[in-house]
Amino acid sequence: MIIYVDANAGRGGNGSKEMPFRRISDAAEIALPGDEVLVMPGVYREYVDPQNAGRTDARISYRSVEPLGAEITGAEIITGWTQYKDNVWTASVDSSIFGEYDPYTTYVYGDWYFAEKSKHTGALYMNDRAFYEADSIDEVIAGQKTETSWQPENSIYKWYAEKKDGKTVFYANFQGSDPNKEKVEINVRRRCFMPSKTGIGYITVSGFKIDKAATTWAPPAAFQDGMIGPHWSKGWIIEDCDISNSKCAGICIGKYYDADNDHYFTYKHVKSPTQMERDAVCRGQYHGWLKKNVGSHIIRRNNIHHCEQGGIIGRMGGVFSIIEDNHIHHINNMMELGGAEIAGIKLHAAIDVTMRRNYIHHCTMGIWTDWEAQGTRITQNLLHDNQLPEYAKPMKGGMMSQDIFVEVSHGPTLIDNNILMSEVSLRMPTEGLALVHNLICGAFTAIDAEVDSVVEGKLRQRFTPYHIPHRTEVMGFMTILHGDDRFYNNIFLQKYGTIPRDGTEDNRETGTHVFDDFPTYDEWIKNFDMKCDTPDMFELAKYHWSYLPVWTGGNAYLSGAKPCKNEKDCVVSNEKAYAEIEVVNGIPVLKTNVYELIGNFRSGLVTSDTLGEAFEPEQRFETPDGRDIVFDTDYSGAHRGADIIPGPFAVGGNEFEGLCCCI
């Protein structure tokens, strides 16, 4: 059945073509497996709460008839502004409009939140631009730039709200504009399109504009909401949408609600937040965390931008998913929020998740896979300018910046055929990685660091889980030994200076030299007498806790980038190399001379057999369905023949267009 919705209909109908509903929510009440909800252009100021699941053979589809013509928004227009002082105007709304959830008394706060508890989930916008929340009316009047903002020219637009006689009174600095002549909105609803119940699977959401929701902070051991998301179900498709201006998360593919585990550290204090994450993983089985119930979503061809926690956020609920061809940009640029859950894509337990052909830039962090990046593949992505701008100061409680962050996972985590252009390419307090055929212009950081803690002089280890291959059931827990990494056929380019600009002491020298102290496989395995059938576990204990081996080969090190001491099969050139992204008519173009400097150097074909298996889970670097990978396809999908060169392209050149298909 086709169900019709038209916000501009003369009156609400019955969902027929002749008498369409005026609200998508009405359609969501009755839509059944196989139904299609067609939504006409218009603004839909509502929370859509789908009541019924589709089936794998009969999805429920919600489609905007005109691409991006239908807008689902968590905001309401606020009118009746009067001038308060200079550029500051005031207006009020009855607080009853917020119902049980008031964004202007609800703070962005919770586990792993490091910034000051001062920002609310509510926000104010003029013509779709978010204003900065002030701490007082005087701060609104002053209208000063925020030194930490990545877009300081916007930070002079301030707002403040107070409660008075049952009303919420707003004060805003419009910097000379008359708000009665502009579109001014405030966040009212917590979500835009997300089931309140779990298990509402096999739904397609296509072609909508989704914006301005008062979403809450979404850490891994808490209920996670976003403006749109499947809420612990299976088989959603979110495609061709424009998703922007979430206070926290844009899309959430995250965790169930568990009252006994929700923000446990923040509310109860007595257990560490890391322990709460371990609890959340184990409690997941109780909540049905199995492939037949949860995950296997597809998120594709979306434009996700100007969200202040993350573009895509998730804990456990995103397993077995595909995230492809999305444009994710300008995430956390206001620098109002700070904590350990901020990135363009931030996933815990990205088991068998593929992230491919995404274009990610101007985010505090590009992609962050935290815990259990097992079977995760990050491939054919373009990442650049995911770094602190030179004019911005680091935010107290803010996160460090890099293109990719893989944290305390045991692998196998595969990063191949990517273009990594930011100052830090990879933060890696982890093990079980393979980097193949990437262009790497930044440094590796957090080598043998940021895993365990020393508390009052005692080592407190952070044990994290690994899983039965291609499943969610926990196989074991272990701290990170470091190593078990592979680097084949990459191009390393010292594009940036070696002195950090972000106030950290992190490494900024590009290359694999940071693994000089790590053994080769032959050096490591000789410590274990494999012919002995009576091993001495006390004697071997020191090797059970030592670095794991690192493999390298076929890499190119340019413009001062440094190879590790054990790498023999590589090319090193100190001639000046360059690689720049230029945006031409809105389209990114890579201009570089790296292939001139590589010259006649050739590398070998890399396969799953080359990479072997990650140490702890004993799982091969392979596809989610267990097939071998042959790296004979490049960044653009072109075939690599017998003449194999390092880097993401099968054929060298000085200029590469068509770097993304999502713009």
Side-chain angles (χ1 to χ4, degrees):
M1 180 172 72
I2 298 178
I3 304 171
Y4 294 88
V5 181
D6 188 347
N8 299 308
R11 60 182 298 177
N14 57 14
S16 65
K17 188 173 185 179
E18 295 74 22
M19 298 181 64
F21 290 129
R22 292 191 68 176
R23 294 169 60 84
I24 305 171
S25 298
D26 293 334
E29 290 280 344
I30 66 170
L32 296 172
D35 288 349
E36 184 175 35
V37 179
L38 296 182
V39 183
M40 302 300 137
V43 180
Y44 296 83
R45 298 185 184 277
E46 57 177 309
Y47 161 47
V48 182
D49 180 7
Q51 295 299 301
N52 302 307
R55 298 194 309 266
T56 184
D57 61 340
R59 308 181 65 81
I60 299 176
S61 298
Y62 296 79
R63 300 188 185 278
S64 174
V65 172
E66 178 184 303
L68 304 182
E71 177 184 0
I72 306 172
T73 180
E76 295 287 348
I77 289 177
I78 182 170
T79 58
W81 292 90
T82 59
Q83 196 164 13
Y84 178 78
K85 183 178 181 181
D86 300 330
N87 291 324
V88 177
W89 297 63
T90 185
S92 65
V93 298
D94 195 296
S95 296
S96 63
I97 192 176
F98 305 121
E100 296 180 355
Y101 175 78
D102 189 336
Y104 301 95
T105 59
T106 304
Y107 284 100
V108 177
Y109 198 69
D111 291 356
W112 300 103
Y113 190 81
F114 301 145
E116 183 181 355
K117 183 181 177 181
S118 62
K119 306 305 179 187
H120 293 88
T121 59
L124 182 145
Y125 310 85
M126 181 175 69
N127 301 329
D128 300 324
R129 176 168 57 186
F131 281 32
Y132 286 61
E133 184 176 1
D135 294 330
S136 66
I137 297 174
D138 288 342
E139 187 179 337
V140 175
I141 294 171
Q144 298 296 311
K145 288 183 179 180
T146 302
E147 292 182 331
T148 56
S149 173
W150 287 25
Q151 297 176 317
E153 67 279 4
N154 291 341
S155 68
I156 59 175
Y157 294 86
K158 310 280 189 182
W159 71 272
Y160 175 77
E162 63 182 11
K163 298 292 183 177
K164 186 181 297 183
D165 300 327
K167 294 184 179 295
T168 303
V169 183
F170 292 90
Y171 303 86
N173 191 326
F174 292 97
Q175 296 295 342
S177 295
D178 182 346
N180 295 308
K181 297 179 181 179
E182 311 293 339
K183 183 180 72 171
V184 180
E185 298 170 285
I186 57 169
N187 284 354
V188 172
R189 287 167 290 279
R190 180 171 174 175
R191 296 181 283 272
C192 294
F193 197 115
M194 186 176 183
S196 59
K197 300 181 293 186
T198 61
I200 307 298
Y202 298 105
I203 286 177
T204 296
V205 182
S206 182
F208 290 89
K209 183 179 180 183
I210 299 171
D211 59 24
K212 304 185 189 78
T215 48
T216 60
W217 183 248
F223 169 66
Q224 294 181 311
D225 67 354
M227 290 198 298
I228 178 172
H231 192 185
W232 202 248
S233 65
K234 185 171 181 179
W236 275 47
I237 299 174
I238 302 173
E239 63 183 11
D240 301 313
C241 293
D242 188 288
I243 296 167
S244 69
N245 283 309
S246 174
K247 187 66 178 200
C248 290
I251 297 174
C252 182
I253 50 176
K255 185 177 167 285
Y256 53 86
Y257 175 72
D258 184 335
D260 294 328
N261 188 244
D262 192 54
H263 291 287
Y264 187 106
F265 171 74
T266 298
Y267 297 145
K268 298 184 179 180
H269 312 324
V270 295
K271 292 184 181 179
S272 78
T274 296
Q275 181 62 20
M276 290 305 91
E277 289 193 49
R278 284 185 284 270
D279 286 357
V281 173
C282 294
R283 294 174 75 92
Q285 302 302 318
Y286 170 78
H287 289 275
W289 191 36
L290 297 169
K291 188 173 185 177
K292 67 179 181 179
N293 299 329
V294 177
S296 299
H297 307 301
I298 298 174
I299 301 173
R300 62 191 177 197
R301 301 189 302 269
N302 300 288
N303 182 24
I304 307 168
H305 57 104
H306 294 95
C307 299
E308 289 309 310
Q309 178 184 343
I312 302 172
I313 297 289
R315 175 58 158 131
M316 300 163 66
V319 289
F320 315 114
S321 294
I322 297 173
I323 301 172
E324 62 183 3
D325 301 313
N326 299 285
H327 185 196
I328 304 174
H329 56 105
H330 297 95
I331 300 298
N332 191 228
N333 282 188
M334 293 176 73
M335 285 291 156
E336 287 196 314
L337 311 183
E341 308 305 319
I342 286 174
I345 301 173
K346 173 66 192 286
L347 297 180
H348 283 76
I351 297 172
D352 282 357
V353 171
T354 299
M355 291 171 261
R356 63 190 178 203
R357 300 190 304 268
N358 299 288
Y359 178 29
I360 304 175
H361 61 96
H362 292 93
C363 301
T364 296
M365 199 179 303
I367 298 171
W368 186 353
T369 59
D370 200 348
W371 294 45
E372 304 146 282
Q374 183 169 334
T376 306
R377 186 175 184 183
I378 301 171
T379 182
Q380 297 172 303
N381 301 283
L382 170 61
L383 296 98
H384 68 84
D385 285 292
N386 300 303
Q387 61 198 34
L388 185 74
E390 293 184 1
Y391 50 78
K393 292 186 176 180
M395 174 188 177
K396 183 179 180 180
M399 295 306 295
M400 72 295 290
S401 292
Q402 51 266 315
D403 281 333
I404 301 174
F405 185 4
V406 183
E407 185 175 9
V408 292
S409 175
H410 302 282
T413 307
L414 175 58
I415 302 172
D416 69 283
N417 288 298
N418 299 283
I419 300 173
L420 309 177
M421 300 289 290
S422 299
E423 186 176 359
V424 175
S425 291
L426 176 63
R427 195 171 197 87
M428 49 187 306
T430 194
E431 63 191 20
L433 291 176
L435 276 74
V436 182
H437 279 294
N438 300 284
L439 173 58
I440 299 170
C441 295
F444 293 157
T445 62
I447 310 299
D448 192 16
E450 298 182 1
V451 171
D452 303 320
S453 299
V454 176
V455 181
E456 294 187 334
K458 295 182 179 180
L459 178 65
R460 303 301 186 188
Q461 291 175 312
R462 176 162 52 156
F463 287 83
T464 58
Y466 50 95
H467 299 259
I468 296 172
H470 309 300
R471 300 180 65 93
T472 57
E473 294 93 334
V474 174
M475 183 176 173
F477 286 83
M478 185 57 182
T479 188
I480 301 300
L481 299 176
H482 301 282
D484 191 29
D485 300 319
R486 302 123 177 97
F487 303 92
Y488 289 109
N489 297 4
N490 302 285
I491 298 174
F492 292 92
L493 165 61
Q494 187 70 55
K495 175 179 168 63
Y496 299 93
T498 58
I499 299 175
R501 296 182 296 104
D502 57 6
T504 70
E505 296 181 357
D506 286 338
N507 169 61
R508 286 298 188 274
E509 292 184 310
T510 303
T512 57
H513 64 288
V514 289
F515 294 98
D516 278 351
D517 294 335
F518 286 70
T520 65
Y521 177 79
D522 290 340
E523 291 170 337
W524 174 77
I525 196 65
K526 73 179 183 181
N527 297 308
F528 307 93
D529 184 357
M530 305 308 291
K531 296 179 181 180
C532 175
D533 60 1
T534 57
D536 185 337
M537 66 178 179
F538 299 104
E539 175 62 26
L540 293 180
K542 59 186 176 182
Y543 303 119
H544 290 153
W545 292 92
S546 66
Y547 286 153
L548 296 170
V550 169
W551 292 261
T552 59
N555 299 297
Y557 299 87
L558 308 178
S559 206
K562 299 177 180 179
C564 72
K565 66 180 183 181
N566 290 321
E567 183 166 0
K568 308 303 180 186
D569 179 24
C570 64
V571 60
V572 179
S573 172
N574 289 319
E575 291 187 48
K576 183 63 177 177
Y578 68 87
E580 303 291 342
I581 293 293
E582 294 187 14
V583 179
V584 181
N585 297 322
I587 305 299
V589 176
L590 173 64
K591 297 185 177 182
T592 183
N593 67 340
V594 295
Y595 290 101
E596 295 177 11
L597 301 182
I598 290 172
N600 295 323
F601 178 80
R602 296 296 179 263
S603 50
L605 181 66
V606 178
T607 68
S608 289
D609 286 341
T610 311
L611 302 179
E613 63 181 31
F615 178 74
E616 291 292 357
E618 300 181 62
Q619 178 179 331
R620 283 168 59 81
F621 289 84
E622 59 190 12
T623 64
D625 58 2
R627 292 178 292 114
D628 281 0
I629 300 172
V630 178
F631 294 89
D632 59 358
T633 301
D634 77 354
Y635 174 93
S636 62
H639 177 69
R640 285 191 174 93
D643 192 39
I644 297 172
I645 56 177
F649 296 104
V651 179
N654 294 106
E655 187 168 310
F656 298 89
E657 301 176 344
L659 296 180
C660 62
C661 56
C662 53
I663 295 180

